[in-house]
Every structure is written in structure tokens, then in C-alpha cells.
Amino acid sequence: MTNPQSQIEELKDLPEVVSLLPLRNSVLFPGSIIPIDVGRPKSVKLIEEAIASERPVIGIVMQRESRTEDPGADDLHEVGCAVRILKVIKLARDNYSVILQGVMRIKINSLVVSEPFLQARVTELPELDPSPLEAEALVANIKETAKKLISLVPELPREAAALLDSVTAAGQVADLVASNLDIEPGEKQEVLEAFDVSTRLRKVLTLLTRQLEILEIRERINTQVQEEMGHSQREYVLRQQLKAIKGELGEIDDEHADADEFEQKIADAKMSEEAEKTALKQLNRLKQMQPSSAEYTVTRTYLEWLVDLPWSESTEDRLEIAAVRDVLNEDHYDLEKVKKRILEYMAVLKLNASKKGPILCLVGPPGVGKTSLGKSIARAIGRSFVRISLGGVRDEAEIRGHRRTYVGSLPGRLIQALKRAGTNNPVIVLDEIDKLGHDFRGDPASALLEVLDPEQNHSFSDHYLEVAFDLSRVMFIVTANTIDPIPPALRDRLEILELPGYTRQEKLAISRRFLLPKQIGEHGLERDELTLRFADDAIMEMIDSYTREAGVRNLQREISSVVRGIAVKFVEGEVSGDVEITAESIPDFLGPQRHLPEMADRTASPGVATGLAWTPTGGEIMFIEATSMPGKGGLMLTGQLGDVMKESAQAAMSYLKSHLETLGIPDDALEGRDIHIHVPAGAIPKDGPSAGVAIFSALVSLLTRRCVRADVAMTGEITLRGLVLPVGGIKEKLLAAHRAGIRRIILPDRNEKDVVDIPEEIRNEIEIVHAKRVDDVLAAALEEPAASP
């Protein structure tokens, strides 16, 4: 509150003409002291002239319109206040801060001049005093009401009540209270114009009472709200305020808009009846939740998964058989068996659109194109393609998802793949299914039983969704390097298609059609100033001397190395124009030969035979060495042999001992002699029954001193009766024999049916002998007896 200066000397003579300082939204009462800033040009000139005179007095008058920049006589109220200038502080060149003290009410009679500032004739406005009793009663009411108001406004200082008590004159009490009330400037002007003190006191009491009532109501509301508002209500209010702030910033995300959006998405998704019922139930729960609750986020995420799944979205299959065949041939060389199966599926689907998707399992060594074949199939029939890697997956929840009770739970990989695909009939490749693990978290292979069963997967239920999703339209393609690790129950649901390794000629064709153009393009060598060609003998050199594989992955790396070397030479300006890579130049890029022909390791000595083995990476040739030494008739086996292979060696030895005479072996050949059978590459584990006939041939060769032909390799299981039983992996074994330069292969008679899958070029270059008994094997494998040492 402003203290009225009752001790200030009154004006003995009010000048007839005073300078007028217009104020925009301020009213000054007699006895009050206020600071104002002066910046308008006329006002600045007025202040500068006023302070040049002794004890300057000016008139303060409020404008009728605050926006008027240059007010005239009609723009000012008639009643104002004569003031003294107590202090002037210059803030800037044309800006002053002035402290003014009100002295008396004045009335403007007429305007004298308007330039350089307003000057007017004024007269003092005398006060009409009320009766003493009325004045005392009004003043008491005003003071009591004002003290109540002061107690409700913490911003007012404690001295305000004492200051109010120190004022006794009725008119000064009214002016003091009015000057400090938070009311409109127009209402203050009405108090200033009330020269009748009784009227002034009543007007101030009315304004004061109204202000007090407003404060009391606000205080009562605040108290009531604070008592009723608990933690959640207070949080709600804060969030509403936060929402309003975000709305102003354009960051609003109204949950009601979310609910409406979800409702529309549920209608558009065309999901199953069960799923739609569940979604609407969760949506109703979401509407009743506070966005701040943890359950709100969980439910919202669940709804997002439900509406984003492709319940009714599907792609239209391209069922033109010729077009599908062209795409498959364009992307992959050979693989006729797989291509034939895909074309059969397309033909059936064209005749019966409701046919359930097949579960194809592509089994073969690395690098033969199993995974890329899935992508090619998807492109051929016009479907989306998704790949799921199962290698190393140990948790059953990776397939079926986690239940929503767990923090951070998500659907399984299948549902995630369908969401990424955006359709309910994509081609999904389950890569490396033979590399699945299992531990205390469950068995992922068992979780796949429902997924990969065409009779069950139409109602696949993910633990996260807990509603059935139809997987019957999905075309699943499973890949594996070997079929053995796949559990029998899961294997029974798969249609096995074996992809054997490639022959040398097939690798040459693949290099020409796919690998070379791809590597030349990726390395930026498709240029007008350079034509890069690879001779056939160069490619064959990389196939024979730098790679040892069933597929073409390492061959692609070697071609890439050669192309990179050409790129360096081209950038340095060493080569340009037509550049041909020949077999002689390959070592310049790849270094010395890494693999020498296997037959170079053969020596023309008795006791050595060549067997054929199957590995997950393709077929291999395997040497069996046998020797004898003085001893007690024991059998020693080395080379990290497995139990099955050891038993094959023991069976071969037993048959040999029981048929010495038939085999032309002296009866005393084994007396006092130990037999040692060794399979080189001892660091590599070896197992299986396929080496039985090779071990037997090596033993007979040793004891009869007849060498096994250098161009012969054999495979087959031997029995104690001398029968040769069939084995697996025939195509891979023959491909390995062909790579090694073998010219005669001895196979079990019952494996004759497997020869059909052998490429014709290999059948034309290799003589295949079918053996029913070991006598047939020896007849085809052994040379004439060697001379005695």
C-alpha cells in the first residue's frame, strides 16, 4: 500500500494553467506516490520543462482510450489529480522514470494549448464532508473489510493493516484503499471523480466487499478441492494441464483419438470373429484406463499387434506355369527336382485355390542355393518373402512368443515375420532348422510341430496373442545341411527335397551365368573402357585348385578376389581394353594352389584303398591304409574313428580271418602279426558304415600283396556273411570321386536306383560297378599280385 503523505505542504495557490501529463491505464489519487515511465515526445518535453522550474506541479489525467497516441481535450477525463514531481531519473535519451505524489483533485475547464505539450485551465475540486457518525461508520466498515482482504492476500505486506489504522481522515481512507485495490482503471476513475466523501466511501466499500467475496470464494474452492483431491485426481489435473501445454505446442496425442483410431483399425482389419471379440474387449478396457498406468501401455501395444497383423491382406499368386518356370531358371541353375515340385504346387493351386501350403525341406551342403531358392520362389509366384534364422535358437518362446504377463513380452518370430510381410500368404524360409537347440527354456523344435503341420496350422495360437491365426496359406520352406539332427516327429511333417552338390561343369555354368556378372557389376568394372573375360580354364583352375566344396560360396569368394585384383590394376592404369583371365594368371591373384588332386597322394603299394565319405558340406574321398607288424594278432585302429566305423573294421577283419583260403591268403599270414588300420586326416572325426568295403579291400590288398587300382574308389557296408549293404549320400560321393579324377566306382548293388540322380556327364566319365558281395568288390578293385619284396 502507498502511504498518503499528510505532512506534505499543501498548495497555497494552484496555478490557473497547468501542464497535463496523460496516462493510459493509471489513476493517481491525492496522497499517493507512484513511479511512471515517460516516453512519448510531448510527455518528455513536459517533464524536462517542469523540472527546470522550482517545486514543479503538473496535472495527471487518464485517457479515455489507452490506444490513443496523441490525445486531445476530448480524449481525456475531466477529473484528474494535481501532483508534485518528487524525483526524475533519466533512463535513456528520450525516456524518464518519474516519481509523482498526488496533491489534490482538479477539474479541467478548458484546453489552452496542445503544443509542445498539453496545457489547460484547471480548478480545485473541493470535497463535501459527510456527517461525523456516517463517516465514522463507513470508515470502520472499510477498515474491517480491508483487513480481512489483507489476510487473504499473502502478497500484501504485514504493515498494510497498521498503515490503514494510521489514516484518520475519511476521504484519505477512501483514496488509500481505492489506490491499492485490484480493480479496473475505469472504476478507480469513478472513485476519483466522487468529490462527495460519503459517496466515495460507499463506492469504495462496495468495491472492497466485492473483492473480498471473490477472494473468499476462491479460497473456499481451493480448500475444498485440496481436501477432495487424492493422488490420482491430482495426477489427472496435472496431466490435463500437461495435455493443454502439449496442445499449444502441437504435441498432443489424445487417448480418445487413439480409441477412435483403434476402433476404425479393428473394423478395417477384418480379423476373425474370435480376434475381433478379443480386440473390442481390450479396447473397452483401454478407454477406462489412465494413460499413466503401466497396464495402459501393455494393452495399447497388444492392440497395435492385433490390428497390424494381415488378417485379410494377401497377394494374388501368379499361376502361369511357364512364367514361374522362367523365373526359377533365371535365378538358379539346375535344381530340377525342386523346380519340378514348385511347378507341381502351382498347378495344383491353380486347380484348387483352397489347397494348403506345402512344407518343403531343402537339405543339402552349404552354398548350393537353399536360402536364395526361397527368395526366388517368392518372386516367381508374386508373394512376399521373409527369412527366419533358427540357428542357435534355444527358447521355445522365440517360436510361440511370450505371455503378456512378462515385462517386454512380444509375439514369436512367426507372428513378427507375418507383420513384416504384410500379407497372410508369404513365403517364409525357416533357415538352418537342423541347428536348433533346446535347454531348460523349452524345445523350439517341438514348438514348430504345430506350425509345420498343414492339418493344424490353420489355428496357430501364439502365447502373446492368445487368439488363433491361420498359417495354412503360408508357404513354408525349411532349410538344413543334414536331416539327422531334426527330430523324427518334426521330420515327418516335412517334404524332404535333397539338393546335392554341383559338378565341375555345373559350377562352370553357374560362374558364367551368375557369379561373374554379379562380381564384375558389384566391383564397378562394367565400363566401356574395360572388357573383362574369364577363360574356361581359369574358372576350372579356381574350381579344382582353390576350392573344395559342394556348393559355390567359396568359388564366389575366389572370383571376387580375382576381380578385386583387376580393379586395382585398372585404377592404377595397368590394364584397359580387353582383358582375359587365363589359368596361368590365377596364381598371380590367389597365390599358390591350395588343393592338389587327391589321387596325387596315392602310391602304388599294397594295403591302401580309396573310400568315399559323406559330410554335411558334401562328399569326400577317404584313404584307408593298412599295415602289419610283429605282434600278437591284435587290431589297432587310428584316425579319430567313431564306434560304427570301428565295428565295420572289426567285421571286415572277422570275415577275412574266416575266409583266408577263399581269399588266397596263407593260413599263417596273421600268426604273430598285428594289423594297424589308419585313416589319414586324423584331426577330423570320422564315423559311419560306408567304409566297410574299403577297409576290407585294404586288408586283402595288404595280405595278398595285390595293389588296389589307383583310379578306383568304393563305398558300402560289409556284413559277416560278406554281403555289401547299401549306404546313403551316393550322389555327393560320386561328385567327390569325379572331382578327384576317379574312373571306376564300386557301389552296393541295392544303390543302383540312386544312380538315376547322377548327372549324365558324370555317368559318361565314370564306370560304375555294382557289387552284391565282397568277392565282386575284390574282382573290380584289385590288380594282379605284386612281385615279392
Side-chain angles (χ1 to χ4, degrees):
M1 283 190 172
T2 305
N3 187 5
Q5 304 295 316
S6 58
Q7 298 178 356
I8 289 182
E9 179 182 351
E10 294 184 2
L11 290 174
K12 295 180 179 179
D13 295 313
L14 178 68
E16 183 181 355
V17 177
V18 298
S19 302
L20 296 182
L21 179 63
L23 299 183
R24 296 181 188 272
N25 287 308
S26 298
V27 176
L28 183 60
F29 289 90
S32 298
I33 298 175
I34 63 170
I36 63 171
D37 289 336
V38 177
R40 286 188 285 195
K42 287 186 176 182
S43 301
V44 170
K45 290 179 182 179
L46 185 153
I47 295 300
E48 289 176 345
E49 182 174 316
I51 61 177
S53 61
E54 186 179 355
R55 302 179 67 82
V57 176
I58 61 174
I60 296 295
V61 186
M62 190 176 74
Q63 298 177 193
R64 297 183 184 275
E65 290 290 338
S66 61
R67 291 175 293 182
T68 305
E69 284 297 326
D70 188 13
D74 296 335
D75 299 319
L76 303 176
H77 288 280
E78 293 182 353
V79 177
C81 185
V83 300
R84 284 195 178 95
I85 300 176
L86 300 181
K87 190 173 183 179
V88 178
I89 301 172
K90 189 170 185 179
L91 301 177
R93 179 178 179 183
D94 294 323
N95 199 347
Y96 290 92
S97 178
V98 183
I99 298 177
L100 304 174
Q101 180 191 34
V103 178
M104 65 176 66
R105 285 174 170 78
I106 58 174
K107 182 178 180 181
I108 301 173
N109 295 323
S110 62
L111 193 65
V112 177
V113 295
S114 58
E115 296 294 341
F117 43 79
L118 295 175
Q119 290 183 322
R121 289 187 176 86
V122 298
T123 57
E124 179 182 358
L125 197 61
E127 294 185 349
L128 297 179
D129 295 327
S131 63
L133 290 176
E134 183 184 8
E136 185 178 351
L138 289 171
V139 168
N141 283 339
I142 288 176
K143 287 185 177 182
E144 181 182 356
T145 306
K147 289 177 181 179
K148 290 180 181 179
L149 187 143
I150 291 170
S151 66
L152 295 175
V153 182
E155 292 84 4
L156 291 176
R158 297 178 181 178
E159 296 79 7
L163 175 62
L164 189 61
D165 288 336
S166 65
V167 180
T168 57
Q172 290 182 1
V173 169
D175 290 343
L176 172 63
V177 172
S179 64
N180 289 280
L181 276 179
D182 185 15
I183 57 178
E184 294 293 328
E187 293 175 325
K188 288 188 176 183
Q189 181 66 29
E190 292 178 3
V191 175
L192 182 66
E193 293 176 357
F195 61 91
D196 186 343
V197 175
S198 176
T199 304
R200 190 189 312 164
L201 288 170
R202 293 179 185 278
K203 190 177 290 292
V204 170
L205 182 59
T206 301
L207 294 172
L208 187 61
T209 303
R210 186 188 70 185
Q211 191 75 11
L212 178 62
E213 288 178 354
I214 292 173
L215 289 175
E216 286 178 340
I217 293 173
R218 189 173 69 180
E219 184 70 18
R220 187 165 59 250
I221 292 174
N222 288 339
T223 303
Q224 182 181 1
V225 168
Q226 289 176 0
E227 289 176 353
E228 294 178 354
M229 189 186 305
H231 176 74
S232 59
Q233 291 173 313
R234 187 159 54 250
E235 186 175 341
Y236 173 77
V237 171
L238 292 174
R239 289 195 176 276
Q240 291 298 108
Q241 293 175 351
L242 179 62
K243 186 172 73 174
I245 294 171
K246 286 186 176 181
E248 292 295 326
L249 296 174
E251 301 176 359
I252 190 68
D253 184 16
D254 192 356
E255 64 268 16
H256 296 296
D258 279 352
D260 295 340
E261 184 180 355
F262 273 127
E263 198 162 355
Q264 184 61 40
K265 284 184 176 181
I266 292 171
D268 295 341
K270 298 179 182 178
M271 55 185 69
S272 65
E273 183 179 349
E274 176 195 11
E276 185 172 356
K277 182 178 178 181
T278 302
L280 292 174
K281 179 180 178 181
Q282 294 297 325
L283 179 59
N284 290 333
R285 290 186 60 210
L286 187 74
K287 292 178 179 178
Q288 299 171 10
M289 294 179 188
Q290 290 293 336
S292 58
S293 66
E295 188 67 20
Y296 181 90
T297 304
V298 173
T299 305
R300 191 179 191 281
T301 304
Y302 176 70
L303 280 172
E304 286 176 348
W305 274 103
L306 277 182
V307 300
D308 288 344
L309 286 177
W311 298 93
S312 57
E313 295 293 328
S314 60
T315 54
E316 185 176 351
D317 291 330
R318 290 198 293 264
L319 301 178
E320 294 300 325
I321 304 300
V324 174
R325 181 185 288 112
D326 291 342
V327 172
L328 293 176
N329 290 333
E330 179 183 339
D331 290 350
H332 287 81
Y333 183 80
D334 195 34
L335 304 180
E336 295 301 328
K337 185 184 294 186
V338 180
K339 294 176 181 177
K340 176 174 175 288
R341 178 63 184 87
I342 299 302
L343 294 176
E344 290 171 355
Y345 171 68
M346 290 296 103
V348 172
L349 193 63
K350 189 170 185 178
L351 299 174
N352 180 13
S354 62
K355 179 71 173 68
K356 296 176 181 178
I359 314 294
L360 302 180
C361 180
L362 307 181
V363 180
V368 297
K370 299 185 297 298
T371 304
S372 61
L373 188 61
K375 188 180 295 185
S376 178
I377 291 171
R379 187 171 80 89
I381 62 180
R383 293 192 181 186
S384 302
F385 172 79
V386 184
R387 173 182 169 271
I388 301 176
S389 177
L390 298 179
V393 172
R394 291 177 171 271
D395 193 349
E396 178 253 355
E398 292 282 340
I399 307 298
R400 281 195 169 274
H402 299 79
R403 299 194 183 278
R404 296 201 306 278
T405 52
Y406 297 107
V407 176
S409 58
L410 283 174
R413 295 193 180 195
L414 281 165
I415 296 298
Q416 294 182 36
L418 286 166
K419 181 181 177 182
R420 290 199 305 273
T423 64
N424 60 11
N425 63 338
V427 174
I428 295 183
V429 170
L430 301 176
D431 225 357
E432 310 292 352
I433 196 171
D434 56 328
K435 309 299 191 303
L436 281 173
H438 62 88
D439 57 16
F440 64 93
R441 290 167 290 189
D443 185 1
S446 299
L448 285 172
L449 292 177
E450 180 185 4
V451 176
L452 299 180
D453 190 343
E455 301 300 325
Q456 299 180 32
N457 61 13
H458 64 276
S459 58
F460 172 71
S461 178
D462 186 274
H463 286 160
Y464 181 84
L465 296 182
E466 294 182 336
V467 293
F469 192 94
D470 186 4
L471 298 180
S472 62
R473 301 191 65 194
V474 177
M475 184 175 185
F476 287 103
I477 297 178
V478 180
T479 72
N481 294 131
T482 175
I483 199 74
D484 295 333
I486 304 176
L490 182 57
R491 192 186 317 166
D492 183 62
R493 288 162 166 78
L494 305 176
E495 183 178 340
I496 307 296
L497 295 176
E498 294 187 359
L499 277 68
Y502 296 111
T503 66
R504 297 170 71 247
Q505 293 301 321
E506 287 173 342
K507 289 182 179 180
L508 175 63
I510 292 171
S511 299
R512 287 284 181 210
R513 289 179 54 179
F514 303 104
L515 304 184
L516 285 171
K518 177 182 177 181
Q519 294 302 320
I520 292 173
E522 287 183 354
H523 290 80
L525 293 181
E526 287 184 341
R527 297 177 174 272
D528 296 336
E529 60 269 31
L530 178 67
T531 302
L532 182 60
R533 295 194 305 273
F534 279 73
D536 286 352
D537 62 347
I539 300 175
M540 283 299 189
E541 177 68 10
M542 287 186 283
I543 293 171
D544 294 335
S545 302
Y546 292 89
T547 62
R548 185 69 58 84
E549 60 176 344
V552 294
R553 190 169 290 153
N554 286 325
L555 177 59
Q556 178 173 294
R557 294 191 184 103
E558 301 304 331
I559 292 175
S560 176
S561 298
V562 175
V563 173
R564 288 197 302 271
I566 295 296
V568 173
K569 293 179 177 292
F570 177 74
V571 171
E572 292 180 344
E574 296 183 19
V575 296
S576 61
D578 290 340
V579 177
E580 184 176 20
I581 305 299
T582 61
E584 291 75 16
S585 59
I586 292 298
D588 297 338
F589 298 100
L590 301 182
Q593 290 182 346
R594 298 195 189 97
H595 305 288
L596 296 175
E598 291 93 340
M599 300 315 297
D601 296 336
R602 289 297 308 271
T603 57
S605 60
V608 180
T610 305
L612 295 174
W614 178 91
T615 69
T617 58
E620 295 286 347
I621 70 166
M622 177 174 59
F623 297 113
I624 310 292
E625 299 177 349
T627 188
S628 66
M629 65 200 80
K632 299 179 180 180
L635 177 63
M636 185 187 307
L637 302 170
T638 57
Q640 257 201 90
L641 307 185
D643 291 339
V644 176
M645 198 166 182
K646 290 178 180 178
E647 292 169 357
S648 294
Q650 291 170 351
M653 192 68 186
S654 297
Y655 181 83
L656 183 144
K657 287 181 178 180
S658 62
H659 295 79
L660 291 177
E661 183 178 353
T662 306
L663 296 173
I665 300 173
D667 294 340
D668 59 351
L670 296 175
E671 291 183 4
R673 309 287 293 179
D674 285 344
I675 300 296
H676 183 184
I677 298 175
H678 177 67
V679 182
I684 302 173
K686 312 167 190 72
D687 202 2
S690 299
V693 294
I695 294 174
F696 178 76
S697 299
L699 289 172
V700 174
S701 170
L702 173 70
L703 296 176
T704 61
R705 311 302 298 169
R706 296 170 64 188
C707 295
V708 177
R709 289 178 50 173
D711 60 349
V712 171
M714 61 198 76
T715 185
E717 182 180 358
I718 190 172
T719 71
L720 291 177
R721 293 178 295 161
L723 298 177
V724 179
L725 299 185
V727 290
I730 295 300
K731 183 174 181 180
E732 289 81 358
K733 292 175 180 178
L734 263 68
L735 290 176
H738 184 260
R739 287 197 301 267
I742 299 293
R743 291 293 174 261
R744 177 183 289 183
I745 299 292
I746 302 175
L747 297 180
D749 182 66
R750 288 164 61 182
N751 280 122
E752 185 175 1
K753 64 183 185 304
D754 299 312
V755 178
V756 178
D757 296 331
I758 308 301
E760 185 176 355
E761 62 173 285
I762 294 180
R763 295 203 303 267
N764 294 335
E765 295 180 11
I766 293 181
E767 177 188 359
I768 299 175
V769 177
H770 297 286
K772 290 184 179 180
R773 297 185 55 82
V774 292
D775 300 339
D776 303 329
V777 174
L778 297 178
L782 296 181
E783 295 180 348
E784 293 300 321
S788 300

